[in-house]
Amino acid sequence: MARGLSTHVVAGVAAATLGLGGCAIADGDGASHETDAAVSVVASTTILGSVAGQVVECGGGQVHTLMPVGADPHDYSPSSADVAAMVKASLVVVNGLGLEEGLTSALDTAGEDGAVVYAVGPDLDPQPREGASDSLDPHIWMDVARMAKAASLIGDQLAAATGDDAYATCGLTVSDSLMETDTEVRSILDAVPESRRVLVTDHQAFGYFGSAYGFTSAGVVIPGGSTLAEPNSADLAALADTVRTEGVTAIFANTANPTALVDALAQEAGTQVSVVELYVGSLGAAGSGADTYQSMMLTDARRIADALAG
Ligand SMILES: [Zn+2]
């Protein structure tokens, strides 16, 4: 590849100054760059895998995403291979803000072994979780404009980690693409009248979405900001009452979490209530129409508009 020589030099500098592991001595013709010396990003969630992947691939590098499609980011336990991948990467990108609850000790271990870890969430103007002023809401990606900022920050971090400014430019390019997506999401959601901009969701993942796009929450099925708690039957009965009294017609489930509790709520609330699945914790599989971050958010916006506009 054309970038071979500069990658070789950069990898050497990075290894010397940052103590990065896994940088092979290139042989001068670029043949060995495919493996150890190539620029690579490890991302925790499929959402960050898509955004950071677009940035790193724009500059000629590659991405490896730890969580498989459909994994719940609150509840993912990494393997020892995941730790090894993090240590070898040029940069590890995680959401932070307590999202990746199962990844904490693996990140510590990888960090001790020399991984360069960047948690992007704290740099995206995080807001408190609704009803919990002492804890920040990790679901930052549900606001596309915040992820546009994330793309440029990831580009900057990658440029710093590799010494290659092309990655900063790539971050801005991806950021621009995401701002276009943000505009499209807004125009799709314009179809929902003011009086119907009320969401009932499986868990408290729509705080940033609500602030950005003008929706409020009438309640969540799973309390506590994560997906790991369980509601009691009194909570569910109270929420079913709210759904009935507020005239809510759709409850939004999450493809990365079983829908049984949401289905139970819909059943308790009555026959006029439909359950609509959204991509929240994970992208969709290839061919789902939600296999990039951009298409995921556009699909969600269309499903919300279809469910609430009628
Ligand atoms: Zn969540």
Side-chain angles (χ1 to χ4, degrees), residues 45-51 68-71 255-256 279-285 288 290-297:
T45 67
T46 54
I47 289 127
L48 285 171
S50 177
V51 173
V69 165
T255 59
Y279 296 95
V280 181
S282 168
L283 300 186
S288 63
D291 59 355
T292 63
Y293 171 67
Q294 287 94 327
S295 63
M296 164 187 155
M297 294 305 294

Side-chain angles (χ1 to χ4, degrees), residues 195-219:
S195 62
R196 309 205 55 189
R197 292 178 164 249
V198 177
L199 302 175
V200 176
T201 56
D202 78 316
H203 77 295
Q204 213 171 30
F206 286 77
Y208 296 99
F209 183 93
S211 307
Y213 305 115
F215 286 75
T216 57
S217 170

Side-chain angles (χ1 to χ4, degrees), residues 202 221 236 251-253 258-270 273-277:
D202 78 316
V221 176
L236 276 180
I251 301 169
F252 295 99
T259 62
L261 287 168
V262 175
D263 291 337
L265 172 66
Q267 202 160 18
E268 185 150 355
V273 179
S274 58
V275 172
V276 177
E277 270 204 315

